[in-house]
Amino acid sequence: MKALILVGGFGTRLRPLTFSCPKSIVEFANQPLVTHQIKALVDVGVTDIILAIGFQPKAMIEKIKQFEEEYKVRIICSQEVEPLGTGGPLRLAKEHLVKDNPEGLFFVLNSDVICDFPFKEMLAFHKNHQKEGTILLTKVQDPTKYGVVVSDSNGRIERFIEKPKQFISDRINAGIYLFNTSVIDRIPLEPHMLELNTFPTMAKEAQLYSMDLPGFWMDVGQPKDFVIGTTLILESIRTKNPSALSTGQNIIGNVLIDPTAKISPTAVIGPNVTIGPDCIVEEGARLKNVVMLKNSTVGAHSWVDNTIVGWDSKIGKWVRIEGLTVLGEDVKIKDELFINGCSVLPHKVISTSINEKGQILM
Ligand code: GDD
Ligand code: MG
């Protein structure tokens, strides 16, 4: 079977992390975001994955060999000269999607969505209704930033409205689809959004069905959702593979620590913390709701809450950071500062406290 993952787009809402690499290879729960999807696709029998690449192709192309070997799958890059949106990339990759595809089916995924990926159930549902497309739905509190779906009790989609201004329903497009290859011919080879064009048309023609997604779901393309998504996936790991989580006297709740990280036994970690390779947490530090990316450091006696610490960044001693702060790559926070809810661009040194929330430091 085949699948296409949409890994283009500029990832602007996940800045400053996406100044350093594409959104889909930022580590989420200590592995590149897209590898959660690759693994789940391989598990359901997908043998060929097409990565639809736009922005920052070099960083992604460099990773592909590694992903192919690790997950035992063929990966092809389909690279756009100009951004083709969420639909155009399917048309661009038509040849790859149609070739050696006797079942005539393929999965499509937004690269920033995370859940338990019920692909097996989706296949069964799709084969049962026998129409051209199936999309996964989930419920959210604020549907305005998503594609909203209205469907009947059999799952037949009656309306698809992308990012509506007014409340229509709280059931939204989870960004995970299963299509017959005939859907490709509905899409022109130009910038084209599935959500604005193809889905409303398919809904009118009764060719689009929805399946409710069981369990957790999150689009982790924004810092706030990235941190919430981390909490959700850690809870899912707790249910499915609890031995992957860290334990110890200084660990509270769900915590995932790479074996190469060095954590002082007097630092207290958790709940909802992931710590990547080569990270250091010094004595007496306190971390909750924190994502530490590779080779970052939290200094002695610092308090860090609701924060993403970028690669190679260094937080000094007796620092307090909170309020949804994101440190880009290679940021230094000097000792004894208070940092409240700000984004710090890569390679910046911070020497004074930031009390007011919402600032961007460059
Ligand atoms: N190759 C390629 N080229 N990929 C793209 C492009 C492009 O020009 N533009 C966006 N993408 C990719 C993004 O990387 C992401 O994986 C996916 O397409 C969706 O783009 P987002 O920018 O993340 O869209 P969104 O989150 O606002 O909305 C979409 O996802 C929601 C679920 O998270 C829509 O599909 C909504 O309907 C949906 O509810
Ligand atoms: Mg998104």
Side-chain angles (χ1 to χ4, degrees), residues 6-9 13 23 52-54 80 83-86 89 110-113 146-147 160 162-163 172-175 177 195 217 219:
L6 290 159
V7 295
R13 289 168 293 179
K23 175 161 74 171
I53 297 186
E80 293 145 50
L84 291 180
T86 52
N110 288 352
S111 67
D112 53 5
V113 294
Y146 304 103
F160 187 105
E162 183 66 7
K163 307 202 171 88
I172 62 121
N173 167 23
Y177 322 124
E195 300 85 346
W217 176 89
D219 174 336

Side-chain angles (χ1 to χ4, degrees), residues 262-280:
K262 292 193 184 64
I263 314 293
S264 162
T266 62
V268 179
I269 316 284
N272 309 320
V273 173
T274 64
I275 300 182
D278 306 321
C279 289
I280 298 173

Side-chain angles (χ1 to χ4, degrees), residues 43-232:
D43 286 348
V44 77
V46 169
T47 51
D48 296 81
I49 295 177
I50 295 120
L51 294 181
I53 297 186
F55 179 56
Q56 292 175 317
K58 196 167 159 276
M60 178 57 89
I61 289 164
E62 280 169 9
K63 289 270 180 193
I64 284 178
K65 193 105 223 91
Q66 183 195 324
F67 294 164
E68 283 192 312
E69 282 166 16
E70 196 170 342
Y71 298 99
K72 313 269 177 290
V73 63
R74 273 187 298 273
I75 299 181
I76 292 167
C77 278
S78 173
Q79 200 183 321
E80 293 145 50
V81 205
E82 60 168 333
L84 291 180
T86 52
L90 276 63
R91 181 57 193 265
L92 184 68
K94 177 174 177 179
E95 207 184 304
H96 298 308
L97 291 168
V98 172
K99 199 172 106 195
D100 302 326
N101 189 347
E103 279 197 293
L105 294 175
F106 64 104
F107 287 101
V108 176
L109 272 76
N110 288 352
S111 67
D112 53 5
V113 294
I114 196 87
C115 63
D116 283 331
F117 301 111
F119 294 138
K120 216 171 122 212
E121 294 80 352
M122 242 180 129
L123 272 168
F125 178 83
H126 186 81
K127 286 179 182 168
N128 188 41
H129 69 61
Q130 298 188 341
K131 299 291 191 239
E132 277 187 88
T134 297
I135 76 178
L136 277 189
L137 298 193
T138 187
K139 270 192 182 180
V140 293
Q141 281 192 336
D142 175 14
T144 55
K145 39 180 195 171
Y146 304 103
V148 169
V149 177
V150 179
S151 49
D152 70 14
S153 55
N154 297 322
R156 187 177 64 82
I157 297 183
E158 292 161 353
R159 290 168 72 200
F160 187 105
I161 315 104
E162 183 66 7
K163 307 202 171 88
K165 297 251 168 0
Q166 283 165 347
F167 183 87
I168 296 169
S169 160
D170 57 358
R171 294 169 80 228
I172 62 121
N173 167 23
I176 300 170
Y177 322 124
L178 180 57
F179 292 147
N180 293 354
T181 43
S182 59
V183 170
I184 304 169
D185 295 322
R186 292 176 171 273
I187 302 167
L189 186 54
E190 60 189 45
H192 180 96
M193 301 303 284
L194 291 174
E195 300 85 346
L196 295 177
N197 302 288
T198 315
F199 291 166
T201 309
M202 286 174 74
K204 258 193 217 134
E205 296 172 12
Q207 286 295 335
L208 195 59
Y209 272 67
S210 64
M211 188 185 116
D212 287 318
L213 172 67
F216 81 104
W217 176 89
M218 188 57 81
D219 174 336
V220 297
Q222 304 184 32
K224 178 168 156 270
D225 297 337
F226 197 92
V227 175
I228 298 172
T230 299
T231 301
L232 297 176

Side-chain angles (χ1 to χ4, degrees), residues 14 17 26-31 220 223-231 233-234 256 269 271-276 279 281 287-294 296-298 304-311 313 315 324-328:
L14 201 56
L17 301 177
V26 172
E27 296 88 347
F28 177 77
N30 284 357
Q31 62 181 80
V220 297
K224 178 168 156 270
D225 297 337
F226 197 92
V227 175
I228 298 172
T230 299
T231 301
I233 197 167
L234 288 176
L256 185 67
I269 316 284
N272 309 320
V273 173
T274 64
I275 300 182
C279 289
V281 180
L287 275 64
K288 19 172 149 166
N289 311 307
V290 170
V291 173
M292 284 182 75
L293 297 174
K294 191 177 188 314
S296 57
T297 299
V298 174
V304 188
D305 182 15
N306 205 7
T307 294
I308 304 173
V309 187
W311 312 270
S313 285
I315 296 171
L324 191 61
T325 291
V326 188
L327 309 183

